[in-house]
Amino acid sequence: MMFQAIDDIAALEALYGTPGEASLAKVATRITTEYRRLLEASPFFTLASVGPEGLDCSPRGEAGGAFTIHDDKTLIIPDRRGNNRIDTLRNIVRDPRVAFCFLIPGSKTTVRLNGTAIVTADADLLASMERDGQRPRSAIVVTIGEIYTQCGRAVMRAGLWDPARHVEPGSIPTPGDVLAAQTDGGIDGR
């Protein structure tokens, strides 16, 4: 099946029109008091990065906060124990551009943030981020380019926080099921 692509910005803008004043006025180049409150309410976000092999969008989350607001232009994210793929970290080392989408449980408000990042293994910084006796191996230091709220329609349409729409865990494959299927049972991830 072939679809006709819109490959001209003028055609795309003709289709959608001009952004509303409010959608542009809410953009800040630093963390304001209001944005700080929204970020501090978010225990979960996705982090998008780009590198020579392509794109990556990584989920990050932690009760009590998955990042630290260092100042009004800087976030610091500990890289907690995971699968060691380090796709995001590889990308940041080669291309510092990053984008985030922060979710706030129970709220339709999401926050988007774009900026640049570095990866550091600064011993003092990592020591300050120790949790439950575990230090992160590295940290991502993000310099904010822009931050803004996103229209909540997608969260509302998805019914993301509606318990009646939650999926029963037993009704979908587990990551272990996926791993076993991908390896013809060679790796049992259950």
Side-chain angles (χ1 to χ4, degrees):
M1 181 181 289
M2 295 291 293
F3 297 99
Q4 183 177 358
I6 297 173
D7 57 5
D8 177 67
I9 296 298
L12 184 63
E13 290 174 347
L15 181 64
Y16 282 89
T18 309
E21 182 182 359
S23 68
L24 300 175
K26 65 186 173 184
V27 178
T29 58
R30 62 182 178 76
I31 300 173
T32 64
T33 301
E34 296 76 19
Y35 281 123
R36 176 182 282 272
R37 290 179 58 205
L38 290 168
L39 290 175
E40 288 174 342
S42 174
F44 178 85
F45 60 89
T46 56
L47 166 54
S49 62
V50 61
E53 290 84 22
L55 303 171
D56 180 62
C57 188
S58 174
R60 305 285 173 127
E62 189 169 344
F67 57 89
T68 301
I69 299 173
H70 180 70
D71 59 39
D72 68 354
K73 288 290 287 182
T74 313
L75 289 182
I76 303 174
I77 305 161
D79 193 56
R80 303 277 182 214
R81 184 170 183 245
N83 61 17
N84 291 330
R85 284 184 55 110
I86 64 172
D87 297 320
T88 301
L89 303 178
R90 287 179 209 274
N91 284 349
I92 291 170
V93 165
R94 296 178 289 190
D95 186 330
R97 295 175 296 164
V98 290
F100 297 81
C101 184
F102 295 86
L103 297 178
I104 302 166
S107 172
K108 66 181 181 180
T109 301
T110 59
V111 177
R112 291 176 59 181
L113 186 152
N114 298 313
T116 57
I118 64 165
V119 178
T120 182
D122 181 275
D124 292 336
L125 177 60
L126 299 181
S128 74
M129 303 180 100
E130 184 173 311
R131 228 182 233 180
D132 300 325
Q134 298 287 321
R135 284 187 190 182
R137 287 190 190 170
S138 67
I140 301 168
V141 180
V142 180
T143 300
I144 295 161
E146 63 181 0
I147 183 170
Y148 52 96
T149 56
Q150 178 68 36
C151 169
R153 288 186 185 103
V155 173
M156 292 184 318
R157 284 190 299 259
L160 197 58
W161 310 123
D162 179 358
R165 296 184 70 181
H166 290 179
V167 174
E168 282 295 321
S171 70
I172 59 174
T174 66
D177 294 334
V178 172
L179 181 61
Q182 289 294 107
T183 61
D184 292 323
I187 300 176
D188 184 0
R190 290 175 244 167

